[in-house]
């Protein structure tokens, strides 16, 4: 069983920055793929970035490429999403999620473990 605790959401002006954190616990020794998803009102939940905690390999969605950076601290078992040059369309609830099976995945249904979500508002 994996638990995820998120923090870092806030309200910022367009062009500003935020850093989200996702503390991961459980399933020691197992490879974990961590993803950040976001969901705006009336829209589907979409993957914005993923990272393998063990290797640091990453993937980014086209809409956040070159503006968001996902990293991890293996000692702290924490993933971070640094979001720069934020736009109003980046607003939404941000969730971190985890899966233990191998292979890159981007659909919410592929992730069995979820954090509680943190709100990001850009105006």
């Amino acid at each position: 069983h994996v638990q995820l605790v998120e923090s870092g959401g806030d309200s910022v002006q367009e062009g500003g920055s935020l850093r989200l954190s996702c503390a991961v616990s459980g399933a020691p020794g197992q490879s974990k793929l961590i993803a950040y998803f976001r969901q705006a009102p009336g829209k589907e939940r979409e993957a914005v970035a993923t990272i393998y905690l063990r290797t640091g390999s990453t993937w980014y969605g086209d809409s956040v490429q070159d503006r968001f950076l996902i990293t991890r601290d293996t000692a702290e078992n924490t993933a971070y999403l640094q979001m720069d040059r934020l736009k109003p369309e980046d607003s939404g609830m941000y969730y971190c999620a985890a899966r233990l099976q191998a292979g890159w995945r981007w659909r919410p249904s592929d992730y069995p473990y979820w954090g509680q979500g943190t709100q990001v508002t850009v105006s």
Side-chain angles (χ1 to χ4, degrees):
H1 186 68
V2 176
Q3 291 183 316
L4 305 165
V5 179
E6 302 177 59
S7 61
D10 207 342
S11 296
V12 296
Q13 298 283 334
E14 183 174 2
S17 298
L18 282 174
R19 190 176 83 152
L20 306 183
S21 299
C22 176
V24 183
S25 61
Q30 290 190 263
S31 179
K32 302 177 185 69
L33 178 64
I34 305 300
Y36 268 99
F37 288 81
R38 69 184 179 194
Q39 187 167 23
K43 293 190 176 181
E44 293 186 353
R45 194 170 294 190
E46 62 169 345
V48 297
T50 60
I51 188 168
Y52 271 105
L53 283 185
R54 182 172 292 171
T55 65
S57 298
T58 59
W59 168 89
Y60 296 92
D62 289 342
S63 63
V64 305
Q65 190 79 38
D66 298 325
R67 296 189 300 121
F68 289 12
L69 178 69
I70 189 168
T71 59
R72 93 289 192 214
D73 183 327
T74 54
E76 296 293 328
N77 272 336
T78 300
Y80 300 96
L81 185 68
Q82 177 67 39
M83 305 186 293
D84 297 323
R85 305 198 307 276
L86 283 162
K87 305 175 182 180
E89 51 263 44
D90 294 319
S91 297
M93 187 68 79
Y94 281 69
Y95 300 90
C96 68
R99 59 179 273 117
L100 304 179
Q101 297 85 354
W104 294 97
R105 295 291 187 274
W106 299 276
R107 297 179 307 178
S109 58
D110 290 319
Y111 290 78
Y113 307 105
W114 290 82
Q116 79 280 11
T118 187
Q119 181 68 40
V120 171
T121 303
V122 185
S123 59

PDB file of all heavy atoms in Angstrom, residues 24 26-34 50-58 71-75 77-79 99-100 102 104:
ATOM      1  N   VAL A  24       5.906  10.437  -0.418  1.00  0.00           N
ATOM      2  CA  VAL A  24       5.495   9.071  -0.744  1.00  0.00           C
ATOM      3  C   VAL A  24       5.936   8.124   0.366  1.00  0.00           C
ATOM      4  O   VAL A  24       7.092   8.161   0.793  1.00  0.00           O
ATOM      5  CB  VAL A  24       6.126   8.640  -2.082  1.00  0.00           C
ATOM      6  CG1 VAL A  24       5.648   7.246  -2.476  1.00  0.00           C
ATOM      7  CG2 VAL A  24       5.817   9.646  -3.177  1.00  0.00           C
ATOM      8  N   GLY A  26       5.348   3.841   1.965  1.00  0.00           N
ATOM      9  CA  GLY A  26       4.808   2.522   1.682  1.00  0.00           C
ATOM     10  C   GLY A  26       5.526   1.822   0.545  1.00  0.00           C
ATOM     11  O   GLY A  26       6.253   2.443  -0.221  1.00  0.00           O
ATOM     12  N   ALA A  27       5.303   0.509   0.461  1.00  0.00           N
ATOM     13  CA  ALA A  27       5.889  -0.342  -0.583  1.00  0.00           C
ATOM     14  C   ALA A  27       7.397  -0.128  -0.689  1.00  0.00           C
ATOM     15  O   ALA A  27       7.921   0.161  -1.778  1.00  0.00           O
ATOM     16  CB  ALA A  27       5.217  -0.076  -1.922  1.00  0.00           C
ATOM     17  N   PRO A  28       8.138  -0.267   0.418  1.00  0.00           N
ATOM     18  CA  PRO A  28       9.575  -0.016   0.358  1.00  0.00           C
ATOM     19  C   PRO A  28      10.269  -0.968  -0.602  1.00  0.00           C
ATOM     20  O   PRO A  28       9.926  -2.146  -0.687  1.00  0.00           O
ATOM     21  CB  PRO A  28      10.030  -0.243   1.805  1.00  0.00           C
ATOM     22  CG  PRO A  28       8.989  -1.110   2.406  1.00  0.00           C
ATOM     23  CD  PRO A  28       7.697  -0.739   1.751  1.00  0.00           C
ATOM     24  N   GLY A  29      11.238  -0.439  -1.329  1.00  0.00           N
ATOM     25  CA  GLY A  29      12.019  -1.242  -2.250  1.00  0.00           C
ATOM     26  C   GLY A  29      11.379  -1.464  -3.606  1.00  0.00           C
ATOM     27  O   GLY A  29      12.025  -1.978  -4.517  1.00  0.00           O
ATOM     28  N   GLN A  30      10.129  -1.090  -3.770  1.00  0.00           N
ATOM     29  CA  GLN A  30       9.462  -1.278  -5.053  1.00  0.00           C
ATOM     30  C   GLN A  30       9.592  -0.031  -5.909  1.00  0.00           C
ATOM     31  O   GLN A  30       9.460   1.095  -5.416  1.00  0.00           O
ATOM     32  CB  GLN A  30       7.991  -1.606  -4.849  1.00  0.00           C
ATOM     33  CG  GLN A  30       7.750  -2.987  -4.258  1.00  0.00           C
ATOM     34  CD  GLN A  30       6.289  -3.378  -4.298  1.00  0.00           C
ATOM     35  OE1 GLN A  30       5.569  -3.223  -3.331  1.00  0.00           O
ATOM     36  NE2 GLN A  30       5.837  -3.865  -5.440  1.00  0.00           N
ATOM     37  N   SER A  31       9.815  -0.241  -7.197  1.00  0.00           N
ATOM     38  CA  SER A  31       9.906   0.878  -8.117  1.00  0.00           C
ATOM     39  C   SER A  31       8.553   1.580  -8.189  1.00  0.00           C
ATOM     40  O   SER A  31       7.508   0.937  -8.284  1.00  0.00           O
ATOM     41  CB  SER A  31      10.296   0.361  -9.499  1.00  0.00           C
ATOM     42  OG  SER A  31      10.374   1.426 -10.416  1.00  0.00           O
ATOM     43  N   LYS A  32       8.594   2.896  -8.159  1.00  0.00           N
ATOM     44  CA  LYS A  32       7.359   3.679  -8.167  1.00  0.00           C
ATOM     45  C   LYS A  32       7.416   4.734  -9.261  1.00  0.00           C
ATOM     46  O   LYS A  32       8.387   5.484  -9.360  1.00  0.00           O
ATOM     47  CB  LYS A  32       7.136   4.364  -6.817  1.00  0.00           C
ATOM     48  CG  LYS A  32       7.077   3.417  -5.636  1.00  0.00           C
ATOM     49  CD  LYS A  32       6.929   4.173  -4.343  1.00  0.00           C
ATOM     50  CE  LYS A  32       6.990   3.249  -3.139  1.00  0.00           C
ATOM     51  NZ  LYS A  32       8.335   2.679  -2.957  1.00  0.00           N
ATOM     52  N   LEU A  33       6.360   4.784 -10.038  1.00  0.00           N
ATOM     53  CA  LEU A  33       6.185   5.860 -11.010  1.00  0.00           C
ATOM     54  C   LEU A  33       5.231   6.858 -10.382  1.00  0.00           C
ATOM     55  O   LEU A  33       4.092   6.513 -10.029  1.00  0.00           O
ATOM     56  CB  LEU A  33       5.614   5.330 -12.322  1.00  0.00           C
ATOM     57  CG  LEU A  33       5.342   6.369 -13.413  1.00  0.00           C
ATOM     58  CD1 LEU A  33       6.644   7.040 -13.868  1.00  0.00           C
ATOM     59  CD2 LEU A  33       4.623   5.737 -14.598  1.00  0.00           C
ATOM     60  N   ILE A  34       5.674   8.080 -10.224  1.00  0.00           N
ATOM     61  CA  ILE A  34       4.868   9.153  -9.648  1.00  0.00           C
ATOM     62  C   ILE A  34       4.428  10.089 -10.758  1.00  0.00           C
ATOM     63  O   ILE A  34       5.241  10.500 -11.586  1.00  0.00           O
ATOM     64  CB  ILE A  34       5.662   9.949  -8.600  1.00  0.00           C
ATOM     65  CG1 ILE A  34       6.220   9.022  -7.521  1.00  0.00           C
ATOM     66  CG2 ILE A  34       4.782  11.041  -7.989  1.00  0.00           C
ATOM     67  CD1 ILE A  34       5.174   8.250  -6.747  1.00  0.00           C
ATOM     68  N   THR A  50       5.532  13.087 -15.113  1.00  0.00           N
ATOM     69  CA  THR A  50       5.753  11.851 -14.376  1.00  0.00           C
ATOM     70  C   THR A  50       7.237  11.675 -14.109  1.00  0.00           C
ATOM     71  O   THR A  50       8.074  12.203 -14.857  1.00  0.00           O
ATOM     72  CB  THR A  50       5.237  10.624 -15.141  1.00  0.00           C
ATOM     73  OG1 THR A  50       5.932  10.529 -16.386  1.00  0.00           O
ATOM     74  CG2 THR A  50       3.747  10.704 -15.398  1.00  0.00           C
ATOM     75  N   ILE A  51       7.554  10.918 -13.058  1.00  0.00           N
ATOM     76  CA  ILE A  51       8.947  10.639 -12.724  1.00  0.00           C
ATOM     77  C   ILE A  51       9.032   9.289 -12.044  1.00  0.00           C
ATOM     78  O   ILE A  51       8.177   8.926 -11.232  1.00  0.00           O
ATOM     79  CB  ILE A  51       9.527  11.753 -11.813  1.00  0.00           C
ATOM     80  CG1 ILE A  51      11.031  11.564 -11.622  1.00  0.00           C
ATOM     81  CG2 ILE A  51       8.804  11.807 -10.466  1.00  0.00           C
ATOM     82  CD1 ILE A  51      11.729  12.773 -10.993  1.00  0.00           C
ATOM     83  N   TYR A  52      10.075   8.526 -12.402  1.00  0.00           N
ATOM     84  CA  TYR A  52      10.382   7.313 -11.670  1.00  0.00           C
ATOM     85  C   TYR A  52      11.230   7.716 -10.463  1.00  0.00           C
ATOM     86  O   TYR A  52      12.285   8.336 -10.612  1.00  0.00           O
ATOM     87  CB  TYR A  52      11.162   6.327 -12.540  1.00  0.00           C
ATOM     88  CG  TYR A  52      10.280   5.403 -13.327  1.00  0.00           C
ATOM     89  CD1 TYR A  52      10.093   5.577 -14.683  1.00  0.00           C
ATOM     90  CD2 TYR A  52       9.651   4.330 -12.690  1.00  0.00           C
ATOM     91  CE1 TYR A  52       9.289   4.720 -15.406  1.00  0.00           C
ATOM     92  CE2 TYR A  52       8.845   3.466 -13.400  1.00  0.00           C
ATOM     93  CZ  TYR A  52       8.659   3.668 -14.756  1.00  0.00           C
ATOM     94  OH  TYR A  52       7.859   2.812 -15.461  1.00  0.00           O
ATOM     95  N   LEU A  53      10.775   7.340  -9.279  1.00  0.00           N
ATOM     96  CA  LEU A  53      11.498   7.738  -8.074  1.00  0.00           C
ATOM     97  C   LEU A  53      12.911   7.154  -8.035  1.00  0.00           C
ATOM     98  O   LEU A  53      13.839   7.811  -7.568  1.00  0.00           O
ATOM     99  CB  LEU A  53      10.742   7.322  -6.810  1.00  0.00           C
ATOM    100  CG  LEU A  53       9.540   8.163  -6.419  1.00  0.00           C
ATOM    101  CD1 LEU A  53       8.992   7.687  -5.079  1.00  0.00           C
ATOM    102  CD2 LEU A  53       9.872   9.635  -6.361  1.00  0.00           C
ATOM    103  N   ARG A  54      13.081   5.943  -8.538  1.00  0.00           N
ATOM    104  CA  ARG A  54      14.377   5.285  -8.430  1.00  0.00           C
ATOM    105  C   ARG A  54      15.390   5.879  -9.403  1.00  0.00           C
ATOM    106  O   ARG A  54      16.525   6.141  -9.052  1.00  0.00           O
ATOM    107  CB  ARG A  54      14.224   3.794  -8.666  1.00  0.00           C
ATOM    108  CG  ARG A  54      15.522   2.994  -8.528  1.00  0.00           C
ATOM    109  CD  ARG A  54      15.234   1.526  -8.575  1.00  0.00           C
ATOM    110  NE  ARG A  54      14.489   1.084  -7.394  1.00  0.00           N
ATOM    111  CZ  ARG A  54      13.949  -0.120  -7.261  1.00  0.00           C
ATOM    112  NH1 ARG A  54      14.060  -1.001  -8.249  1.00  0.00           N
ATOM    113  NH2 ARG A  54      13.303  -0.461  -6.164  1.00  0.00           N
ATOM    114  N   THR A  55      14.993   6.098 -10.659  1.00  0.00           N
ATOM    115  CA  THR A  55      15.945   6.509 -11.698  1.00  0.00           C
ATOM    116  C   THR A  55      15.934   8.003 -11.981  1.00  0.00           C
ATOM    117  O   THR A  55      16.889   8.537 -12.532  1.00  0.00           O
ATOM    118  CB  THR A  55      15.649   5.785 -13.009  1.00  0.00           C
ATOM    119  OG1 THR A  55      14.357   6.218 -13.493  1.00  0.00           O
ATOM    120  CG2 THR A  55      15.639   4.274 -12.804  1.00  0.00           C
ATOM    121  N   GLY A  56      14.832   8.669 -11.671  1.00  0.00           N
ATOM    122  CA  GLY A  56      14.702  10.089 -12.001  1.00  0.00           C
ATOM    123  C   GLY A  56      14.275  10.353 -13.429  1.00  0.00           C
ATOM    124  O   GLY A  56      14.196  11.512 -13.849  1.00  0.00           O
ATOM    125  N   SER A  57      13.980   9.306 -14.193  1.00  0.00           N
ATOM    126  CA  SER A  57      13.506   9.500 -15.568  1.00  0.00           C
ATOM    127  C   SER A  57      12.175  10.225 -15.555  1.00  0.00           C
ATOM    128  O   SER A  57      11.319   9.959 -14.700  1.00  0.00           O
ATOM    129  CB  SER A  57      13.351   8.154 -16.278  1.00  0.00           C
ATOM    130  OG  SER A  57      14.583   7.507 -16.371  1.00  0.00           O
ATOM    131  N   THR A  58      11.992  11.140 -16.511  1.00  0.00           N
ATOM    132  CA  THR A  58      10.817  12.004 -16.492  1.00  0.00           C
ATOM    133  C   THR A  58      10.097  12.052 -17.831  1.00  0.00           C
ATOM    134  O   THR A  58      10.642  11.702 -18.880  1.00  0.00           O
ATOM    135  CB  THR A  58      11.212  13.448 -16.123  1.00  0.00           C
ATOM    136  OG1 THR A  58      12.154  13.931 -17.095  1.00  0.00           O
ATOM    137  CG2 THR A  58      11.833  13.516 -14.742  1.00  0.00           C
ATOM    138  N   THR A  71      11.044  16.709 -10.128  1.00  0.00           N
ATOM    139  CA  THR A  71      12.265  16.149  -9.551  1.00  0.00           C
ATOM    140  C   THR A  71      11.889  15.265  -8.378  1.00  0.00           C
ATOM    141  O   THR A  71      10.718  15.185  -7.989  1.00  0.00           O
ATOM    142  CB  THR A  71      13.215  17.259  -9.073  1.00  0.00           C
ATOM    143  OG1 THR A  71      12.532  18.071  -8.089  1.00  0.00           O
ATOM    144  CG2 THR A  71      13.670  18.141 -10.223  1.00  0.00           C
ATOM    145  N   ARG A  72      12.912  14.585  -7.824  1.00  0.00           N
ATOM    146  CA  ARG A  72      12.626  13.803  -6.642  1.00  0.00           C
ATOM    147  C   ARG A  72      13.825  13.814  -5.706  1.00  0.00           C
ATOM    148  O   ARG A  72      14.960  14.016  -6.137  1.00  0.00           O
ATOM    149  CB  ARG A  72      12.208  12.371  -7.015  1.00  0.00           C
ATOM    150  CG  ARG A  72      13.282  11.298  -7.065  1.00  0.00           C
ATOM    151  CD  ARG A  72      14.220  11.435  -8.196  1.00  0.00           C
ATOM    152  NE  ARG A  72      15.053  10.225  -8.347  1.00  0.00           N
ATOM    153  CZ  ARG A  72      16.306  10.229  -8.750  1.00  0.00           C
ATOM    154  NH1 ARG A  72      16.912  11.376  -9.046  1.00  0.00           N
ATOM    155  NH2 ARG A  72      16.982   9.115  -8.877  1.00  0.00           N
ATOM    156  N   ASP A  73      13.528  13.626  -4.450  1.00  0.00           N
ATOM    157  CA  ASP A  73      14.546  13.494  -3.417  1.00  0.00           C
ATOM    158  C   ASP A  73      14.408  12.077  -2.883  1.00  0.00           C
ATOM    159  O   ASP A  73      13.452  11.766  -2.180  1.00  0.00           O
ATOM    160  CB  ASP A  73      14.303  14.541  -2.319  1.00  0.00           C
ATOM    161  CG  ASP A  73      15.376  14.496  -1.242  1.00  0.00           C
ATOM    162  OD1 ASP A  73      15.894  13.407  -0.940  1.00  0.00           O
ATOM    163  OD2 ASP A  73      15.670  15.566  -0.681  1.00  0.00           O
ATOM    164  N   THR A  74      15.366  11.224  -3.248  1.00  0.00           N
ATOM    165  CA  THR A  74      15.238   9.822  -2.862  1.00  0.00           C
ATOM    166  C   THR A  74      15.380   9.622  -1.366  1.00  0.00           C
ATOM    167  O   THR A  74      14.768   8.714  -0.799  1.00  0.00           O
ATOM    168  CB  THR A  74      16.267   8.963  -3.612  1.00  0.00           C
ATOM    169  OG1 THR A  74      17.574   9.518  -3.393  1.00  0.00           O
ATOM    170  CG2 THR A  74      15.976   8.948  -5.100  1.00  0.00           C
ATOM    171  N   ALA A  75      16.173  10.456  -0.725  1.00  0.00           N
ATOM    172  CA  ALA A  75      16.340  10.331   0.721  1.00  0.00           C
ATOM    173  C   ALA A  75      15.042  10.655   1.452  1.00  0.00           C
ATOM    174  O   ALA A  75      14.736  10.063   2.489  1.00  0.00           O
ATOM    175  CB  ALA A  75      17.463  11.242   1.201  1.00  0.00           C
ATOM    176  N   ASN A  77      12.041  10.504  -0.095  1.00  0.00           N
ATOM    177  CA  ASN A  77      10.918   9.849  -0.786  1.00  0.00           C
ATOM    178  C   ASN A  77       9.840  10.852  -1.161  1.00  0.00           C
ATOM    179  O   ASN A  77       8.640  10.649  -0.906  1.00  0.00           O
ATOM    180  CB  ASN A  77      10.300   8.753   0.078  1.00  0.00           C
ATOM    181  CG  ASN A  77      10.980   7.420  -0.114  1.00  0.00           C
ATOM    182  OD1 ASN A  77      11.585   7.161  -1.154  1.00  0.00           O
ATOM    183  ND2 ASN A  77      10.908   6.583   0.885  1.00  0.00           N
ATOM    184  N   THR A  78      10.301  11.939  -1.757  1.00  0.00           N
ATOM    185  CA  THR A  78       9.395  13.021  -2.108  1.00  0.00           C
ATOM    186  C   THR A  78       9.613  13.436  -3.559  1.00  0.00           C
ATOM    187  O   THR A  78      10.755  13.524  -4.008  1.00  0.00           O
ATOM    188  CB  THR A  78       9.618  14.228  -1.180  1.00  0.00           C
ATOM    189  OG1 THR A  78       9.365  13.830   0.170  1.00  0.00           O
ATOM    190  CG2 THR A  78       8.680  15.370  -1.533  1.00  0.00           C
ATOM    191  N   ALA A  79       8.515  13.678  -4.244  1.00  0.00           N
ATOM    192  CA  ALA A  79       8.569  14.225  -5.597  1.00  0.00           C
ATOM    193  C   ALA A  79       8.136  15.680  -5.536  1.00  0.00           C
ATOM    194  O   ALA A  79       7.295  16.059  -4.708  1.00  0.00           O
ATOM    195  CB  ALA A  79       7.664  13.444  -6.537  1.00  0.00           C
ATOM    196  N   ARG A  99       2.027   4.434  -9.193  1.00  0.00           N
ATOM    197  CA  ARG A  99       1.798   3.065  -9.607  1.00  0.00           C
ATOM    198  C   ARG A  99       3.082   2.294  -9.404  1.00  0.00           C
ATOM    199  O   ARG A  99       4.182   2.869  -9.488  1.00  0.00           O
ATOM    200  CB  ARG A  99       1.315   2.969 -11.056  1.00  0.00           C
ATOM    201  CG  ARG A  99       2.233   3.535 -12.082  1.00  0.00           C
ATOM    202  CD  ARG A  99       1.674   3.357 -13.490  1.00  0.00           C
ATOM    203  NE  ARG A  99       2.044   2.068 -14.069  1.00  0.00           N
ATOM    204  CZ  ARG A  99       1.203   1.118 -14.413  1.00  0.00           C
ATOM    205  NH1 ARG A  99      -0.086   1.285 -14.241  1.00  0.00           N
ATOM    206  NH2 ARG A  99       1.625  -0.008 -14.940  1.00  0.00           N
ATOM    207  N   LEU A 100       2.953   1.005  -9.131  1.00  0.00           N
ATOM    208  CA  LEU A 100       4.114   0.172  -8.844  1.00  0.00           C
ATOM    209  C   LEU A 100       4.519  -0.685 -10.029  1.00  0.00           C
ATOM    210  O   LEU A 100       5.623  -1.200 -10.071  1.00  0.00           O
ATOM    211  CB  LEU A 100       3.818  -0.730  -7.633  1.00  0.00           C
ATOM    212  CG  LEU A 100       3.389  -0.007  -6.350  1.00  0.00           C
ATOM    213  CD1 LEU A 100       3.120  -1.022  -5.247  1.00  0.00           C
ATOM    214  CD2 LEU A 100       4.437   0.996  -5.913  1.00  0.00           C
ATOM    215  N   ALA A 102       5.673  -1.730 -13.833  1.00  0.00           N
ATOM    216  CA  ALA A 102       6.603  -1.139 -14.787  1.00  0.00           C
ATOM    217  C   ALA A 102       5.851  -0.543 -15.968  1.00  0.00           C
ATOM    218  O   ALA A 102       4.751  -0.975 -16.305  1.00  0.00           O
ATOM    219  CB  ALA A 102       7.582  -2.206 -15.290  1.00  0.00           C
ATOM    220  N   TRP A 104       5.592   3.273 -18.568  1.00  0.00           N
ATOM    221  CA  TRP A 104       5.044   4.620 -18.499  1.00  0.00           C
ATOM    222  C   TRP A 104       3.544   4.572 -18.751  1.00  0.00           C
ATOM    223  O   TRP A 104       3.064   3.888 -19.640  1.00  0.00           O
ATOM    224  CB  TRP A 104       5.695   5.510 -19.559  1.00  0.00           C
ATOM    225  CG  TRP A 104       7.143   5.743 -19.343  1.00  0.00           C
ATOM    226  CD1 TRP A 104       8.174   5.089 -19.923  1.00  0.00           C
ATOM    227  CD2 TRP A 104       7.730   6.705 -18.457  1.00  0.00           C
ATOM    228  NE1 TRP A 104       9.366   5.576 -19.468  1.00  0.00           N
ATOM    229  CE2 TRP A 104       9.132   6.579 -18.558  1.00  0.00           C
ATOM    230  CE3 TRP A 104       7.205   7.664 -17.585  1.00  0.00           C
ATOM    231  CZ2 TRP A 104      10.016   7.368 -17.835  1.00  0.00           C
ATOM    232  CZ3 TRP A 104       8.095   8.460 -16.864  1.00  0.00           C
ATOM    233  CH2 TRP A 104       9.478   8.303 -16.990  1.00  0.00           C
TER     234      TRP A 104
END
